[in-house]
Amino acid sequence: MYIVLLVFVSLISSGCLAEFVITAHEREELGGGEAPTVGLGFNMESLLKKYGYPFENHGVITEDGYVLALHRIPYGRNSSETNETKPAVLIVHGIGSSSGDFVVLGPERSLPLMLADLGYDVWLGNNRGNTWSRKHQTLDADKNSSFWDFSFDELSLYDTPAMIDHVLTVSRNEKLSYVGHSQGTTQFFALASQQPDYNDKVNVMMALGPAVYCGNMSNPIVQFLKDYYTVVELLTSYLNLTEILPHSLVIETALKLVCKDGGEYQEACPIILFILFGFDSDQLNRSDIKVLLDTFPAGFAIKELKHYLQLVKSNTFRQFDYGILNNMAKYNKSSPPEYNVSLVTAPVALYYGQNDWLVGMADVNRLADELPNVVEKRLIDYEYFNHIDFILAKDVASMLYFNVINKLNEINGFAPIISTSTLSTSATSTTNESGSTTSPDNTTSTEDGGRHTGSASSLNKMAHIICIFVAVLIFVI
Ligand SMILES: *[C@@H]1O[C@H](CO)[C@@H](O)[C@H](O)[C@H]1NC(C)=O
Ligand SMILES: *[C@@H]1O[C@H](CO)[C@@H](O)[C@H](O)[C@H]1NC(C)=O
Ligand SMILES: *[C@@H]1O[C@H](CO)[C@@H](O)[C@H](O)[C@H]1NC(C)=O
Ligand SMILES: *[C@@H]1O[C@H](CO)[C@@H](O)[C@H](O)[C@H]1NC(C)=O
Ligand SMILES: *[C@@H]1O[C@H](CO)[C@@H](O)[C@H](O)[C@H]1NC(C)=O
Ligand SMILES: *[C@@H]1O[C@H](CO)[C@@H](O)[C@H](O)[C@H]1NC(C)=O
Ligand SMILES: *[C@@H]1O[C@H](CO)[C@@H](O)[C@H](O)[C@H]1NC(C)=O
Ligand SMILES: *[C@@H]1O[C@H](CO)[C@@H](O)[C@H](O)[C@H]1NC(C)=O
Ligand SMILES: *[C@@H]1O[C@H](CO)[C@@H](O)[C@H](O)[C@H]1NC(C)=O
Ligand SMILES: *[C@@H]1O[C@H](CO)[C@@H](O)[C@H](O)[C@H]1NC(C)=O
């Protein structure tokens, strides 16, 4: 109960602190330009330069006037600009996240950076409302509440197609590979079920923690909020809450103080992450949290959260529910139209965790049964893999990324890297150039795989049991 209150108080206060948000749009030219500095001084371009990668900032305007930032890493380290067409990958973040979260932890654990080194043209999306995409042609994110009137319906209708089309045009490809995490998958499945031509614009959809059916989501807070949906609705509209958890200077400073190494309350930070995403102590390096706070959280609309609560409640994948009367006006039906995932004909690869509190295994199985073109369905071979491990796990490269890269390589005509995920011994992985249509550089990625296995320490198991106990307690109260 206290935790629920705590979460609510923090949500509300983050809305109140919106005036202190320092975001990209204050310094950014319309349609790209210089990479802006955010929060306490994080800058994508400087970070990537430090690691030896090039960076481009692209502005994309959606049909309904939002200005989105697409971040491009056109080639890898030890490589240089060429005019050849390379296979493009578009990576789209989850709710509350942004492009930055994929790169802050450095090249050894960053899927986009690994892909750039292997010869891909890498693009990172930023959905409307997050740190880098708080701009609109006529609306002001801080003043006009209608800016925040969107859920993943709008992301699928406007943002996702705008990003895909821009990447295809600039990279001069007919198809791209799409990688989505969490909501990044939701918006793709919604799009591809509504607009069939987008199925032909991707050669594969890599779904990391696919959030489509949500009936079996085990997160106790979400289950609690779902049961009190009406209260959430009333409270947020009474308080005029439109935006939550923006990347503000105040919150970043406060969280970094709490989460810093050696801080008295440092252990509170992982606990908050565990309660949101699932418990996985062994794979969380406490020091990484502070690094992630450079860019996380990145802000999202309260309507996005409400939409997911509706999905949990209805156990269906459908458009936003405005209530019977308003549904009649908007959809000419008393209930919202469903997204039919059996119309998603693009090849889909599903990757999911056993301990993901936001994406239930039964829900992924149901999705896989309905999708007509599943090319891979991989349950990650680690008992405690949770929803944020897709980005944050210490061994995410060997547990997940090597498999993802091999699949992408197979589909894009690159030879497989030697994976340590199944062999769990080799220390280096090399690319094989011979089978490539556009050959990647002779890169080696120095992942130190093999540290993880399917088992976890007994401490982790014990902590997991305690965490479930606490969760059940919250649920009962
Ligand atoms: C790159 O290639 C495109 C078409 O393949 C061409 O139009 C363009 O002029 C080339 N640019 C450079 C700098 O060579
Ligand atoms: C947005 O807010 C500004 C300042 O409050 C106001 O002048 C403007 O009319 C608003 N625009 C719309 C479209 O509501
Ligand atoms: C969990 O998933 C199964 C299979 O899709 C479904 O029958 C069941 O209703 C779901 N549970 C909840 C609580 O929605
Ligand atoms: C919410 O907005 C309405 C109208 O815009 C205003 O009258 C009301 O005072 C606001 N409520 C709060 C708590 O700010
Ligand atoms: C934990 O993270 C910090 C900062 O990212 C890093 O310096 C340290 O080497 C990491 N430790 C382990 C065991 O991975
Ligand atoms: C609304 O739906 C009814 C039948 O369900 C149909 O007859 C009618 O034409 C629809 N109206 C609009 C505006 O689409
Ligand atoms: C979904 O699409 C399939 C294929 O067109 C169709 O057979 C099925 O009836 C549709 N399901 C719903 C719920 O509309
Ligand atoms: C590269 O892969 C091709 C087929 O995928 C294989 O025939 C060839 O032997 C490989 N070359 C090396 C150097 O591993
Ligand atoms: C590729 O790397 C391997 C091992 O690092 C090296 O032996 C080989 O000469 C390199 N090939 C090219 C074409 O640079
Ligand atoms: C880039 O080149 C340097 C020096 O030759 C080498 O140490 C490094 O491992 C290379 N990095 C990649 C990703 O190939």
Side-chain angles (χ1 to χ4, degrees):
M1 193 64 207
Y2 289 121
I3 291 158
V4 175
L5 278 178
L6 201 89
V7 168
F8 242 93
V9 168
S10 62
L11 296 188
I12 289 162
S13 53
S14 64
C16 301
L17 290 169
E19 299 124 66
F20 298 102
V21 180
I22 294 189
T23 47
H25 72 289
E26 283 163 25
R27 293 177 218 182
E28 191 188 348
E29 295 287 314
L30 190 77
E34 290 271 296
T37 297
V38 299
L40 287 175
F42 176 81
N43 185 290
M44 264 316 251
E45 185 160 13
S46 318
L47 181 84
L48 292 177
K49 200 177 246 173
K50 186 180 103 186
Y51 291 132
Y53 293 87
F55 173 80
E56 288 173 22
N57 188 27
H58 289 242
V60 180
I61 299 175
T62 67
E63 229 172 87
D64 57 344
Y66 287 80
V67 184
L68 312 176
L70 266 176
H71 291 163
R72 182 190 196 189
I73 307 161
Y75 51 93
R77 295 175 288 188
N78 298 356
S79 179
S80 59
E81 189 145 27
T82 60
N83 199 18
E84 67 179 314
T85 302
K86 302 164 126 199
V89 182
L90 171 63
I91 303 180
V92 181
H93 62 82
I95 200 166
S97 177
S98 69
S99 59
D101 298 342
F102 287 102
V103 296
V104 279
L105 295 169
E108 274 69 45
R109 273 194 289 162
S110 164
L111 183 63
L113 300 184
M114 292 162 87
L115 289 172
D117 280 337
L118 289 167
Y120 288 91
D121 181 2
V122 180
W123 296 76
L124 296 161
N126 282 297
N127 283 323
R128 60 182 62 189
N130 90 2
T131 315
W132 283 283
S133 297
R134 283 172 61 93
K135 240 173 70 163
H136 188 277
Q137 285 179 314
T138 55
L139 299 172
D140 184 327
D142 296 328
K143 298 198 180 101
N144 306 110
S145 60
S146 56
F147 178 96
W148 297 101
D149 186 18
F150 65 85
S151 73
F152 65 74
D153 288 341
E154 284 74 21
L155 301 184
S156 73
L157 198 54
Y158 303 113
D159 294 19
T160 323
M163 293 194 272
I164 290 176
D165 289 335
H166 183 84
V167 171
L168 291 179
T169 307
V170 177
S171 72
R172 302 193 307 266
N173 276 295
E174 270 171 27
K175 289 176 189 261
L176 55 76
S177 302
Y178 185 103
V179 179
H181 176 224
S182 193
Q183 184 183 246
T185 70
T186 320
Q187 66 197 76
F188 178 86
F189 288 121
L191 168 69
S193 69
Q194 297 280 89
Q195 300 187 49
D197 48 324
Y198 280 89
N199 286 298
D200 301 327
K201 295 186 179 188
V202 300
N203 58 17
V204 68
M205 152 62 172
M206 311 290 288
L208 313 181
V212 170
Y213 294 113
C214 302
N216 284 281
M217 182 190 277
S218 53
N219 185 306
I221 296 178
V222 176
Q223 291 294 345
F224 175 87
L225 291 177
K226 170 205 85 181
D227 291 336
Y228 292 89
Y229 182 78
T230 329
V231 181
V232 174
E233 186 105 87
L234 288 175
L235 204 63
T236 52
S237 70
Y238 175 72
L239 294 167
N240 296 338
L241 271 191
T242 51
E243 179 191 11
I244 41 179
L245 298 172
H247 199 84
S248 86
L249 211 53
V250 178
I251 293 179
E252 187 181 332
T253 313
L255 287 177
K256 279 188 171 168
L257 274 177
V258 177
C259 303
K260 72 165 187 248
D261 284 329
E264 204 175 331
Y265 302 104
Q266 189 190 5
E267 204 50 23
C269 301
I271 287 175
I272 290 171
L273 289 182
F274 294 151
I275 289 175
L276 291 174
F277 301 114
F279 197 91
D280 183 11
S281 191
D282 284 358
Q283 280 296 319
L284 179 65
N285 174 350
R286 271 48 174 176
S287 312
D288 285 340
I289 298 177
K290 204 173 142 258
V291 180
L292 191 70
L293 286 171
D294 279 347
T295 54
F296 184 86
F300 58 103
I302 199 100
K303 193 171 169 188
E304 294 177 270
L305 184 70
K306 284 186 192 166
H307 198 164
Y308 278 109
L309 290 179
Q310 292 176 357
L311 297 193
V312 178
K313 208 170 163 160
S314 69
N315 199 20
T316 56
F317 183 40
R318 62 183 187 186
Q319 297 185 33
F320 194 86
D321 190 347
Y322 293 90
I324 292 173
L325 286 181
N326 293 331
N327 285 344
M328 284 308 290
K330 188 166 168 77
Y331 306 123
N332 191 22
K333 281 172 75 188
S334 59
S335 62
E338 289 196 21
Y339 291 113
N340 187 345
V341 292
S342 66
L343 302 175
V344 179
T345 53
V348 175
L350 302 164
Y351 299 84
Y352 58 114
Q354 306 179 34
N355 184 37
D356 187 332
W357 279 20
L358 295 180
V359 175
M361 287 192 279
D363 292 331
V364 177
N365 291 336
R366 178 177 167 197
L367 173 66
D369 287 345
E370 291 180 17
L371 285 169
N373 195 1
V374 176
V375 294
E376 169 114 314
K377 176 168 177 279
R378 186 178 283 268
L379 181 61
I380 293 149
D381 181 25
Y382 173 63
E383 205 177 337
Y384 294 101
F385 203 89
N386 71 21
H387 199 63
I388 206 168
D389 280 340
F390 287 99
I391 292 173
L392 201 54
K394 277 185 213 166
D395 299 326
V396 66
S398 55
M399 283 179 179
L400 172 69
Y401 291 166
F402 291 162
N403 282 315
V404 168
I405 289 170
N406 275 343
K407 184 47 88 178
L408 284 170
N409 279 2
E410 180 192 322
I411 285 163
N412 286 291
F414 286 177
I417 56 169
I418 297 165
S419 157
T420 58
S421 66
T422 43
L423 308 171
S424 76
T425 44
S426 162
T428 55
S429 41
T430 30
T431 55
N432 173 346
E433 296 191 55
S434 59
S436 319
T437 47
T438 56
S439 54
D441 307 315
N442 187 13
T443 37
T444 58
S445 81
T446 53
E447 291 319 316
D448 179 13
R451 273 172 293 155
H452 84 88
T453 54
S455 66
S457 72
S458 55
L459 178 71
N460 202 10
K461 282 190 177 140
M462 179 97 96
H464 185 241
I465 291 164
I466 293 172
C467 195
I468 287 183
F469 179 74
V470 172
V472 168
L473 213 67
I474 295 168
F475 190 62
V476 169
I477 296 168

